[in-house]
Amino acid sequence: MPLIVVPTSQLFRMRVAALLFTCVAFSAAAHGAYLPITVMADWCVFCWAFSFACTLLVLLVELFGLQARVPVSWSNFPITVACYAALLCLSASIIFPVFFLRHQLFYRVARDHRIVSTVFSCLAAVAYMGEVSLSKARPGEVAGYMATAPGLLKVCQTFLACIIFILISSPVTYDHHPALTWCMAVYCICFIVSMAVVVLYVGEWTGCLPIPFSKFLSAYGLLAVIMYLSATILWPVFQFNKSYGRNDDPETITASVITAINLLLYVADLVYSATLVFVSG
């Protein structure tokens, strides 16, 4: 029987705080907030519930000392969870008050519950950011790939790609010109490969490729920069030009901005990947 080992580190306290904050956030939203059945409401509750479940899993594994028995790289898994949870809670902290607090008429009890969810979502985002800050690799430190800047950038790239998918798919805004279809292909290809890199490192499967993984990362980084550069140029040209059917709704503009941000992330990823020496596992 494994013994329960209660850590006393700052990292452990940060995880417990994040666990409590996310629990309060989704509990208040689910019981008493009277949220409408919408995609945004479901997304916010999912962000809090998913972050809570993953953090609880990490804490249980560490409390029972089961790190060596889980089929993932424990130097990569916890920080990957923390980084995704930070982005999820941050997005919920922005979306929830915009859609469910501003210009809304509802009972005071529902309003109070929604305020509580918003406040604790913000606290959870801060706690997860603190966990990422404590867990990330320091200069000269041997750490898993996901604790390095390129690993954290991969998480941000995949998360922003998901936001782009939501923005341009409801309604569909990429099917009226081949150039826009190419942009959608860029988003999908880069998302799939970046997510595959994350999964390969977390699952310790980087040795399954017939070439050194570091060379694959460098080649992919260069290709991703070229592809995203084309999307950054083509998307606004064919969306905002009257000759191609002007479409300047907020979702399309936001997708254009996020595409440019993701391009910068891929450029930074390429620079880091070309200079950083890391140890996986």
Side-chain angles (χ1 to χ4, degrees):
M1 290 292 293
L3 297 176
I4 298 179
V5 180
V6 181
T8 58
S9 65
Q10 186 177 0
L11 182 60
F12 175 78
R13 291 194 292 270
M14 198 71 71
R15 286 173 178 159
V16 171
L19 183 77
L20 295 176
F21 294 153
T22 51
C23 180
V24 173
F26 79 75
S27 297
H31 303 284
Y34 298 102
L35 295 176
I37 302 175
T38 63
V39 173
M40 291 304 179
D42 292 342
W43 168 257
C44 292
V45 175
F46 165 78
C47 290
W48 301 321
F50 178 83
S51 301
F52 171 83
C54 290
T55 304
L56 180 61
L57 175 63
V58 170
L59 286 173
L60 289 176
V61 169
E62 294 201 338
L63 283 173
F64 287 96
L66 301 175
Q67 294 92 324
R69 299 187 181 183
V70 294
V72 296
S73 169
W74 204 250
S75 61
N76 288 308
F77 181 76
I79 191 170
T80 303
V81 166
C83 193
Y84 274 119
L87 293 170
L88 289 169
C89 289
L90 180 61
S91 70
S93 300
I94 297 171
I95 292 171
F96 195 78
V98 170
F99 282 87
F100 305 112
L101 275 179
R102 191 182 64 169
H103 308 314
Q104 295 286 330
L105 298 175
F106 38 77
Y107 294 110
R108 181 173 180 177
V109 173
R111 183 196 64 187
D112 292 344
H113 278 75
R114 295 184 186 190
I115 292 174
V116 168
S117 292
T118 302
V119 171
F120 278 88
S121 179
C122 294
L123 292 174
V126 172
Y128 282 118
M129 290 177 189
E131 181 182 345
V132 172
S133 178
L134 291 171
S135 303
K136 69 179 182 179
R138 302 296 188 273
E141 180 184 3
V142 176
Y145 176 82
M146 297 307 300
T148 64
L152 297 176
L153 286 171
K154 291 284 190 307
V155 173
C156 295
Q157 291 160 7
T158 54
F159 181 81
L160 289 182
C162 290
I163 300 298
I164 293 175
F165 293 149
I166 295 172
L167 291 171
I168 67 178
S169 299
S170 182
V172 174
T173 58
Y174 57 84
D175 61 347
H176 59 276
H177 196 280
L180 298 176
T181 305
W182 161 253
C183 292
M184 183 60 174
V186 170
Y187 302 143
C188 291
I189 293 170
C190 292
F191 169 78
I192 291 171
V193 178
S194 293
M195 182 57 72
V197 170
V198 172
V199 172
L200 288 173
Y201 269 107
V202 172
E204 295 187 308
W205 299 317
T206 55
C208 65
L209 295 183
I211 60 173
F213 207 72
S214 58
K215 292 184 178 179
F216 166 76
L217 289 177
S218 298
Y220 164 62
L222 179 59
L223 180 62
V225 167
I226 295 172
M227 294 174 69
Y228 251 90
L229 178 61
S230 69
T232 303
I233 296 171
L234 293 175
W235 184 264
V237 168
F238 288 89
Q239 288 285 16
F240 309 141
N241 194 319
K242 292 182 179 179
S243 302
Y244 304 104
R246 187 183 180 114
N247 181 16
D248 55 358
D249 58 81
E251 290 82 3
T252 305
I253 295 173
T254 305
S256 182
V257 173
I258 295 179
T259 299
I261 294 173
N262 231 3
L263 170 62
L264 296 178
L265 294 182
Y266 277 104
V267 171
D269 189 5
L270 177 62
V271 173
Y272 273 113
S273 296
T275 58
L276 183 67
V277 177
F278 58 86
V279 178
S280 64

